[in-house]
Amino acid sequence: MHSSSNLYRVACRISRERERENYKMERNVKEEKCVRVVCRKIITCKDPGIQWLIGSPFFPSFTIVSSFRCLHTQSHDPFSPDYTKESDDLRTLLLRGFIVIGALFVSNGNWEENAIKAAETSRTMRKFLFDDGGDVEMIGAAADLVSGDTHFFFCGPVKSQNLEAVSTVIYEDNPERFVWDIGCLLRCALTIKLPICIPMKRTSDAEEILSSAIDDVAAKFKDPRAAYVIEELNVTSDPDEVPQFVVLRSTDLDFEKNLSDFKLLRSVDESYADTKSCSYFCLKNTPSITLKGNADAIQVTILLNQSRNIPKSSAPIAEYFPASEPARLLVISFNLEVLCYASKDLPVASAVSKLIVPGLVDQLTTMKKAIMPSLLTQHHQLRPYHFFPPGILHPITAIYELSYGEMEIKQAEIRRSLHLRLGLPLDRPLLLIANSINFGVTKGIAGNNSMRNGPALLKDVHTEIPSIGVSGGMISLIEGSYEYYHYLQDGFDDSGWGCAYRSLQTIISWFRLQHYTSIEVPSHREIQQALVEIGDKEPYFVGSREWIGAIELSFVLDKLLGVSCKIINVRSGAELPEKCRELALHFETQGTPVMIGGGVLAYTLLGVDYSEASGDCAFLILDPHYTGNDDLKKIVNGGWCGWKKAVDSKGKNFFLHNKFYNLLLPQRPNMV
């Protein structure tokens, strides 16, 4: 008789087999006779070149989920890839669980000839990436340079043989559901501090020493003392709920199987019949990634038993091993974070051995290559980030050198290259760190709860405030969200001198919430320190209670965010209504908050209501001089955020006629 657990496993296996059969019947087409295009649009361009077609071993054969442009070519020949550089880039960019299944040649000429070349090119790339490209059928595709018409062909494993035109191309109606109904994400983050000793007289041995140390680290992933904790990354808010988890020992995993044999991943691995599948750890009825870039993933944590088994207890001791020759000690930090895509049917043991561990080794190797040229001269801060840019159905990974700084030209060049490869627009910062995927909090045995620093601030306090009415006027407002910063916030007493600082904080919060930057909103002291560092202020300025104005705000925005500003000067508050046309254009084209400074007062401007016919206007003012608690009703009813006429119904001027005013108009970055 079967035990209850065996019956459960048999039932699950039968259920999965039925689901797969139903999946095929619904589409009523044989996998080997069609190409399925899941991505909304294959990247096409007006220039000749190669595009790699991306699929997954978890999808039906010849399913194209995305396409990446080939950027590295030999001798400027767009059809001759530099396979070493291209494979390094693709190995970093592609999550384990996605593979190259073909190539597309964008060119004029014979369809079949171009398709054969494309298939052979992709087969060679597979050999560089996975060493399995010699005996697999690939997609060879050719697109006309003028019309953009695309023809698909199957190309057999032997060069120039078995070329078959594709008669059926299926375009998925719901690509997101296709990808995430089949699969899920696994994530493993690991920080390694690797000490190495470089002999002073043999610095040329540095590469060999580092490579050997990294090989030792990679070997520990398979060490019998290693264990892997697999658990839900996100669970409900119920503190009493216990997350699903399982612990796998390294000895339970089969690392000997060919890691490049993706056929092993296409079906349930019987050797792991007793192991939970990935679906056991997936949140029910919840998409893996939301449109806001938050992600649910199965968390994999590596533990290593460092204790030795000794018959008797003893006190710990320290051993001293003197260096045989003068040497330099380097401690290199590796912040690894691997994201993988796996079928929900795949046993988690197979996912760890075939996806997570190879992914960690790949990332270590990539970082080693990056730091090796300047190992002895530069302190590196490499960090992987995962992004889910619009138009791409799966996350991608980029490794950034944080010592550059996000706005430094080298980092911008890296992002521009990624935009070109992925077909992303070149005027939006989609791959800044602020746009990276935000993973939830692990509440299981291997993770810690995270706490938000300080209370949440009010956002977008103006949204429910109607205009006071400008006859024939047109309202122009900021675009996007901001946080309201004002006097006495966070327990800091800046009453009487900090209004411009608060306006600047509101402006920077807008850039953060629009994902133009990942820096924290700076404190008053940090703002002052920035002005000292650029030479605008003397050192005594830090910690003072001195005012700043529009010019200083522009300096800080340039230094911290790389944001340029336009400044409008008016000699009197009476002239401000004359600038409403220009302000309306700013909100319509730039959409950023504006700082208005005059005399000893500073305000944040969120919009204007302007009649071009009459010149009548109203200003939507966010007042940083408010000193109360963050009570939205109190703020709105008290007029701390509201529409102001230049001259109210009682004849009182809002803007003083005997003061000059500077208006700071931050420009939306046109950048990658």
Side-chain angles (χ1 to χ4, degrees):
M1 293 180 62
H2 288 290
S3 68
S4 59
S5 61
N6 286 336
L7 287 172
Y8 174 78
R9 287 196 295 273
V10 171
C12 288
R13 189 177 300 114
I14 293 173
S15 175
R16 288 193 293 267
E17 289 173 355
R18 286 176 177 172
E19 286 179 2
R20 283 194 288 270
E21 290 302 318
N22 291 337
Y23 181 84
K24 294 178 182 178
M25 292 175 63
E26 286 175 4
R27 285 156 177 77
N28 194 27
V29 63
K30 294 181 179 180
E31 292 180 8
E32 66 272 12
K33 293 298 181 182
C34 76
V35 165
R36 181 175 284 105
V37 180
V38 179
C39 49
R40 294 183 181 88
K41 181 180 179 182
I42 295 177
I43 300 171
T44 55
C45 56
K46 297 180 180 179
D47 300 321
I50 303 170
Q51 295 172 28
W52 308 112
L53 303 180
I54 308 301
S56 172
F58 306 116
F59 297 157
S61 298
F62 310 115
T63 297
I64 303 171
V65 70
S66 59
S67 65
F68 297 164
R69 289 178 183 168
C70 174
L71 297 184
H72 302 294
T73 58
Q74 302 280 2
S75 303
H76 305 290
D77 178 358
F79 301 105
S80 180
D82 183 328
Y83 289 103
T84 300
K85 291 182 178 179
E86 277 292 296
S87 61
D88 284 345
D89 282 3
L90 291 179
R91 192 176 289 109
T92 300
L93 196 65
L94 275 177
L95 273 58
R96 278 273 173 168
F98 292 104
I99 56 176
V100 173
I101 62 171
L104 167 69
F105 270 33
V106 180
S107 174
N108 294 320
N110 183 280
W111 296 111
E112 294 187 0
E113 289 181 1
N114 286 337
I116 291 173
K117 294 176 183 177
E120 289 305 312
T121 299
S122 63
R123 184 174 289 111
T124 303
M125 177 55 67
R126 277 279 283 265
K127 291 178 181 178
F128 271 78
L129 287 170
F130 310 114
D131 195 27
D132 75 335
D135 61 349
V136 293
E137 192 171 18
M138 307 294 288
I139 297 176
D144 184 76
L145 197 58
V146 177
S147 66
D149 293 339
T150 303
H151 293 249
F152 295 96
F153 297 84
F154 300 127
C155 196
V158 182
K159 184 177 181 180
S160 302
Q161 292 184 6
N162 302 326
L163 186 69
E164 178 186 355
V166 175
S167 58
T168 303
V169 180
I170 299 174
Y171 292 88
E172 286 291 332
D173 294 330
N174 195 335
E176 290 87 356
R177 181 175 179 180
F178 178 92
V179 173
W180 300 111
D181 277 358
I182 292 175
C184 60
L185 296 175
L186 296 96
R187 172 180 176 264
C188 180
L190 181 64
T191 299
I192 299 171
K193 290 190 178 295
L194 190 60
I196 59 173
C197 290
I198 310 297
M200 300 297 289
K201 296 181 179 180
R202 293 185 290 114
T203 56
S204 58
D205 293 346
E207 181 173 356
E208 181 180 348
I209 294 171
L210 178 59
S211 296
S212 177
I214 288 177
D215 289 342
D216 290 342
V217 171
K220 289 184 178 180
F221 297 146
K222 306 176 185 179
D223 191 292
R225 295 176 297 169
Y228 295 84
V229 180
I230 296 94
E231 56 186 325
E232 293 176 344
L233 182 62
N234 283 334
V235 293
T236 66
S237 57
D238 184 356
D240 297 325
E241 181 174 343
V242 178
Q244 307 286 358
F245 75 92
V246 66
V247 179
L248 298 176
R249 297 183 181 277
S250 177
T251 51
D252 298 330
L253 307 179
D254 189 353
F255 293 106
E256 300 305 318
K257 291 182 179 180
N258 184 1
L259 296 180
S260 65
D261 186 0
F262 287 97
K263 295 177 182 178
L264 293 173
L265 300 177
R266 294 194 61 81
S267 61
V268 176
D269 192 335
E270 296 299 329
S271 63
Y272 293 132
D274 294 331
T275 304
K276 301 290 186 183
S277 68
C278 292
S279 61
Y280 179 78
F281 302 93
C282 295
L283 291 181
K284 306 301 184 288
N285 303 318
T286 303
S288 292
I289 301 183
T290 69
L291 295 178
K292 293 184 179 180
N294 298 314
D296 297 316
I298 301 169
Q299 177 75 12
V300 180
T301 305
I302 301 177
L303 304 176
L304 187 65
N305 180 10
Q306 298 283 34
S307 301
R308 297 179 181 177
N309 294 325
I310 54 177
K312 295 182 179 180
S313 60
S314 60
I317 61 173
E319 297 183 71
Y320 171 61
F321 298 95
S324 58
E325 58 183 304
R328 176 182 175 185
L329 175 65
L330 293 179
V331 180
I332 304 172
S333 294
F334 292 96
N335 294 299
L336 307 180
E337 185 173 276
V338 169
L339 198 62
C340 300
Y341 177 85
S343 165
K344 293 179 181 178
D345 285 345
L346 190 70
V348 290
S350 186
V352 169
S353 61
K354 305 298 182 290
L355 301 173
I356 292 292
V357 171
L360 290 169
V361 174
D362 281 348
Q363 206 165 89
L364 269 173
T365 303
T366 298
M367 291 184 175
K368 182 196 76 172
K369 290 181 179 179
I371 68 177
M372 191 57 68
S374 55
L375 175 63
L376 302 177
T377 59
Q378 181 180 344
H379 175 65
H380 291 272
Q381 301 179 52
L382 292 171
R383 175 77 183 271
Y385 292 93
H386 311 290
F387 298 91
F388 200 6
I392 298 178
L393 296 172
H394 57 82
I396 58 97
T397 300
I399 297 179
Y400 289 160
E401 173 60 84
L402 300 186
S403 62
Y404 291 162
E406 274 197 288
M407 297 302 119
E408 206 273 347
I409 187 64
K410 290 182 180 180
Q411 196 71 284
E413 289 173 355
I414 292 172
R415 290 196 300 272
R416 180 179 176 83
S417 176
L418 288 171
H419 276 243
L420 290 172
R421 186 180 290 281
L422 300 173
L424 301 175
L426 297 177
D427 60 350
R428 297 177 60 195
L430 299 173
L431 301 181
L432 282 177
I433 294 172
N435 280 308
S436 60
I437 297 174
N438 176 34
F439 290 94
V441 180
T442 300
K443 289 174 46 175
I445 61 174
N448 298 313
N449 293 332
S450 68
M451 298 293 292
R452 177 181 174 88
N453 292 326
L457 302 179
L458 289 177
K459 292 181 181 178
D460 310 329
V461 297
H462 71 284
T463 52
E464 301 299 325
I465 303 175
S467 175
I468 55 179
V470 172
S471 179
M474 179 176 291
I475 297 176
S476 302
L477 299 174
I478 67 165
E479 178 184 335
S481 293
Y482 62 89
E483 293 172 323
Y484 179 29
Y485 284 83
H486 55 79
Y487 278 171
L488 305 185
Q489 214 161 38
D490 302 323
F492 182 76
D493 184 3
D494 57 345
S495 182
W497 62 275
C499 51
Y501 293 85
R502 296 298 187 179
S503 180
L504 176 59
Q505 289 175 327
T506 295
I507 290 171
I508 292 178
S509 76
W510 183 93
F511 282 96
R512 272 181 55 84
L513 293 175
Q514 269 55 246
H515 304 300
Y516 283 105
T517 182
S518 59
I519 71 165
E520 297 294 333
V521 174
S523 65
H524 294 57
R525 189 179 186 89
E526 289 168 336
I527 292 169
Q528 292 171 340
Q529 183 65 45
L531 291 169
V532 170
E533 289 176 2
I534 65 173
D536 181 66
K537 302 293 184 184
E538 296 297 327
Y540 73 82
F541 181 67
V542 177
S544 70
R545 299 167 70 90
E546 292 190 17
W547 298 328
I548 58 174
I551 302 299
E552 287 88 351
L553 265 63
S554 70
F555 291 160
V556 175
L557 287 171
D558 180 57
K559 175 177 173 54
L560 298 184
L561 279 67
V563 168
S564 61
C565 299
K566 180 179 179 181
I567 295 179
I568 300 175
N569 308 111
V570 295
R571 293 172 295 181
S572 166
E575 297 180 9
L576 271 171
E578 300 174 11
K579 303 298 180 182
C580 272
R581 180 185 286 108
E582 193 169 350
L583 290 169
L585 181 63
H586 167 82
F587 288 118
E588 291 165 9
T589 59
Q590 302 298 320
T592 63
V594 171
M595 178 270 199
I596 299 179
V600 297
L601 300 176
Y603 303 100
T604 305
L605 180 66
L606 304 177
V608 293
D609 188 353
Y610 172 63
S611 170
E612 192 164 352
S614 66
D616 191 18
C617 62
F619 301 82
L620 181 54
I621 298 293
L622 183 67
D623 195 337
H625 302 90
Y626 174 66
T627 58
N629 57 8
D630 285 355
D631 183 329
L632 180 60
K633 185 175 181 180
K634 183 178 179 181
I635 290 167
V636 173
N637 291 342
W640 298 103
C641 182
W643 289 94
K644 312 290 183 182
K645 285 285 192 75
V647 181
D648 64 18
S649 58
K650 298 179 180 179
K652 183 179 179 181
N653 298 316
F654 183 78
F655 300 110
L656 304 178
H657 288 198
N658 62 343
K659 300 292 184 182
F660 70 90
Y661 285 83
N662 289 327
L663 285 73
L664 180 85
L665 285 62
Q667 303 298 289
R668 183 190 291 263
N670 184 352
M671 56 181 285
V672 295

